[in-house]
Amino acid sequence: MDRAPGLSVRLKLTLSYAGFLMVAGALLLGVVWLFLLRYVPEELVPSPMAIPDRSALVAAFVPKAALALVFLLIFGLLGGWVLAGSMLAPLTRITNATRLATNGSLSHRIQLEGHEDEFRELADAFDVMLARLEANDAEQRRFAANASHELRTPLAITQTLLDVARKDPDRDTGELVDRLHFVNTRAIELTEAMLLLSRANQRSFTRELVDLSLAAEEATETLLPLAEKHGVTIETSGDMAGTVGSHALLLQMTTNLVHNAIVHNLSEQGTVWVTTSLRPEAVVLTVENTGEKLTPQLVSTLTEPFQRGGERVRTDHAGVGLGLAIVKSITHAHGGILTLTTRPAGGLRITVELPATARHTDRSRLRHH
């Protein structure tokens, strides 16, 4: 937006300092004038001591007062200019950092020195914002690169199948159709997962009261046939856990957690535990499963997009690599905390902590008392 040019902040502060100094000096000289001349007679009275009359005192006082005001004006302008420049130096560094960020350089940091004040607080907040922007930009770049690779794979497979079919017209088309259907289904699942992830990141959803315990029961019932197929037992327990958010997204989050716990489990006699609990100011959903022993380094990368956990059991239902990334985005979109920890006996423990509703918070406080 175009705006008319105006005075700089430094010049405004300089004029303010000089003006304040001039007013203070004028008031001081005015007080001296009133109280000094008040006791001086207008005409000279015969006296053994030589006392000047008021006209002589005025003639001597006014030039000196004018010189004092001129000195105060010059001193106020020069001192105010230097003082304003010193005070606004941190703001200049913040402005330069903003220009660098506008040009695409997000690695620059202000790192303002000195004691804690308003400028230091602003600079620290700006540094935190730059760090988050840099992390988000790097994550978006990795996501775009990975998404391009993942989408290119089914398209390349489809192209290969079609080329083979074109060179061999007598080949059985039934097998070709089945393989094309499988590849196309995987591509659709990947596209839908990316759309869901984008929706969670944008936080464009209607908020309503959601009970995580009911969402856990619904997700468990939906995935029970898959668990039976894999020989996995699901155990659910817990309290009512009310929070505010999107029912569809929170159900998707719970479904992804349970699905992940089923498909990345032991090959035989695996177990999944799904529990909900109530804490002061928060509700907690915990999904825990048996499985291979995982390293902390691997667990720290599982919420990144297209990370499927290469050391875990891989099946045809391993997903497109966005399950836990979607869980992380939905959790953060609802103001929650996602925690992944390894189990000593093998497997993974995932905890989602979300803000509780006021009614559930009061009940939790009463129970703790």
Side-chain angles (χ1 to χ4, degrees), residues 4 10 60 66 101 161 201 213 225 230 245 251 262 293 299 346:
R10 186 176 185 180
L161 292 175
N201 288 332
S213 63
H230 285 257
L251 177 59
I262 293 173
K293 288 188 176 182
V299 172

mmCIF file of all heavy atoms in Angstrom, residues 4 10 60 66 101 161 201 213 225 230 245 251 262 293 299 346:
data_model
loop_
_atom_site.group_PDB
_atom_site.id
_atom_site.type_symbol
_atom_site.label_atom_id
_atom_site.label_comp_id
_atom_site.label_asym_id
_atom_site.label_seq_id
_atom_site.Cartn_x
_atom_site.Cartn_y
_atom_site.Cartn_z
ATOM 1 N N ALA A 4 2.093 8.315 2.003
ATOM 2 C CA ALA A 4 2.830 9.558 1.864
ATOM 3 C C ALA A 4 4.077 9.515 2.740
ATOM 4 O O ALA A 4 4.044 9.009 3.860
ATOM 5 C CB ALA A 4 1.944 10.736 2.259
ATOM 6 N N ARG A 10 13.422 8.343 14.237
ATOM 7 C CA ARG A 10 14.571 8.952 14.905
ATOM 8 C C ARG A 10 14.444 10.466 14.952
ATOM 9 O O ARG A 10 14.743 11.099 15.975
ATOM 10 C CB ARG A 10 15.856 8.552 14.179
ATOM 11 C CG ARG A 10 17.114 9.031 14.888
ATOM 12 C CD ARG A 10 18.372 8.535 14.191
ATOM 13 N NE ARG A 10 19.571 8.904 14.935
ATOM 14 C CZ ARG A 10 20.802 8.592 14.552
ATOM 15 N NH1 ARG A 10 20.991 7.910 13.410
ATOM 16 N NH2 ARG A 10 21.837 8.960 15.280
ATOM 17 N N ALA A 60 19.914 42.784 31.816
ATOM 18 C CA ALA A 60 21.001 41.832 32.010
ATOM 19 C C ALA A 60 20.531 40.378 31.911
ATOM 20 O O ALA A 60 21.269 39.490 31.464
ATOM 21 C CB ALA A 60 21.662 42.065 33.375
ATOM 22 N N ALA A 66 18.150 34.080 26.723
ATOM 23 C CA ALA A 66 18.030 33.714 25.308
ATOM 24 C C ALA A 66 19.185 32.822 24.882
ATOM 25 O O ALA A 66 19.004 31.822 24.160
ATOM 26 C CB ALA A 66 17.975 34.974 24.446
ATOM 27 N N ALA A 101 14.733 -11.890 5.489
ATOM 28 C CA ALA A 101 13.718 -12.945 5.468
ATOM 29 C C ALA A 101 12.769 -12.765 4.290
ATOM 30 O O ALA A 101 12.322 -13.745 3.681
ATOM 31 C CB ALA A 101 12.946 -12.946 6.781
ATOM 32 N N LEU A 161 3.655 -51.305 -17.161
ATOM 33 C CA LEU A 161 2.659 -52.339 -17.434
ATOM 34 C C LEU A 161 1.990 -52.123 -18.787
ATOM 35 O O LEU A 161 1.757 -53.073 -19.554
ATOM 36 C CB LEU A 161 1.616 -52.354 -16.315
ATOM 37 C CG LEU A 161 2.105 -52.815 -14.931
ATOM 38 C CD1 LEU A 161 0.989 -52.668 -13.900
ATOM 39 C CD2 LEU A 161 2.569 -54.271 -14.988
ATOM 40 N N ASN A 201 -3.084 -29.330 8.458
ATOM 41 C CA ASN A 201 -2.105 -28.258 8.607
ATOM 42 C C ASN A 201 -2.759 -26.884 8.513
ATOM 43 O O ASN A 201 -2.345 -25.941 9.182
ATOM 44 C CB ASN A 201 -1.013 -28.386 7.548
ATOM 45 C CG ASN A 201 -0.080 -29.556 7.822
ATOM 46 O OD1 ASN A 201 0.101 -29.948 8.970
ATOM 47 N ND2 ASN A 201 0.500 -30.117 6.781
ATOM 48 N N SER A 213 -12.725 -41.497 23.914
ATOM 49 C CA SER A 213 -13.004 -42.903 24.218
ATOM 50 C C SER A 213 -13.955 -43.507 23.187
ATOM 51 O O SER A 213 -13.784 -44.656 22.771
ATOM 52 C CB SER A 213 -13.583 -43.029 25.621
ATOM 53 O OG SER A 213 -14.824 -42.345 25.719
ATOM 54 N N PRO A 225 -11.477 -56.539 11.889
ATOM 55 C CA PRO A 225 -11.182 -57.589 10.889
ATOM 56 C C PRO A 225 -9.705 -57.612 10.477
ATOM 57 O O PRO A 225 -9.126 -58.684 10.293
ATOM 58 C CB PRO A 225 -12.093 -57.221 9.712
ATOM 59 C CG PRO A 225 -13.205 -56.442 10.327
ATOM 60 C CD PRO A 225 -12.593 -55.684 11.444
ATOM 61 N N HIS A 230 -4.337 -60.400 11.010
ATOM 62 C CA HIS A 230 -2.920 -60.383 11.382
ATOM 63 C C HIS A 230 -2.660 -61.120 12.691
ATOM 64 O O HIS A 230 -1.507 -61.150 13.149
ATOM 65 C CB HIS A 230 -2.436 -58.930 11.521
ATOM 66 C CG HIS A 230 -2.234 -58.232 10.220
ATOM 67 N ND1 HIS A 230 -0.996 -58.021 9.665
ATOM 68 C CD2 HIS A 230 -3.125 -57.698 9.340
ATOM 69 C CE1 HIS A 230 -1.117 -57.389 8.522
ATOM 70 N NE2 HIS A 230 -2.403 -57.174 8.291
ATOM 71 N N GLY A 245 -12.833 -30.278 19.067
ATOM 72 C CA GLY A 245 -12.122 -30.343 17.796
ATOM 73 C C GLY A 245 -12.990 -30.938 16.715
ATOM 74 O O GLY A 245 -14.226 -31.019 16.845
ATOM 75 N N LEU A 251 -11.120 -38.805 14.727
ATOM 76 C CA LEU A 251 -11.363 -40.210 14.433
ATOM 77 C C LEU A 251 -10.303 -40.746 13.470
ATOM 78 O O LEU A 251 -9.821 -41.879 13.628
ATOM 79 C CB LEU A 251 -12.760 -40.382 13.826
ATOM 80 C CG LEU A 251 -13.138 -41.802 13.407
ATOM 81 C CD1 LEU A 251 -13.072 -42.751 14.595
ATOM 82 C CD2 LEU A 251 -14.529 -41.814 12.773
ATOM 83 N N ILE A 262 -1.404 -52.155 14.499
ATOM 84 C CA ILE A 262 -1.745 -53.504 14.027
ATOM 85 C C ILE A 262 -0.749 -53.998 12.993
ATOM 86 O O ILE A 262 -0.203 -55.105 13.089
ATOM 87 C CB ILE A 262 -3.183 -53.526 13.457
ATOM 88 C CG1 ILE A 262 -4.210 -53.279 14.568
ATOM 89 C CG2 ILE A 262 -3.456 -54.849 12.757
ATOM 90 C CD1 ILE A 262 -5.620 -53.116 14.056
ATOM 91 N N LYS A 293 11.959 -54.510 18.435
ATOM 92 C CA LYS A 293 12.604 -53.483 19.224
ATOM 93 C C LYS A 293 13.066 -52.354 18.309
ATOM 94 O O LYS A 293 13.685 -52.596 17.277
ATOM 95 C CB LYS A 293 13.791 -54.057 19.997
ATOM 96 C CG LYS A 293 13.376 -54.969 21.152
ATOM 97 C CD LYS A 293 14.579 -55.349 22.002
ATOM 98 C CE LYS A 293 14.142 -56.185 23.202
ATOM 99 N NZ LYS A 293 15.301 -56.545 24.083
ATOM 100 N N VAL A 299 12.648 -43.966 16.025
ATOM 101 C CA VAL A 299 11.369 -43.456 16.529
ATOM 102 C C VAL A 299 11.256 -41.947 16.304
ATOM 103 O O VAL A 299 10.181 -41.436 15.993
ATOM 104 C CB VAL A 299 11.230 -43.800 18.024
ATOM 105 C CG1 VAL A 299 10.012 -43.105 18.626
ATOM 106 C CG2 VAL A 299 11.110 -45.303 18.206
ATOM 107 N N GLY A 346 9.876 -54.318 23.234
ATOM 108 C CA GLY A 346 9.657 -54.233 21.797
ATOM 109 C C GLY A 346 8.327 -53.591 21.480
ATOM 110 O O GLY A 346 7.349 -53.760 22.209
#
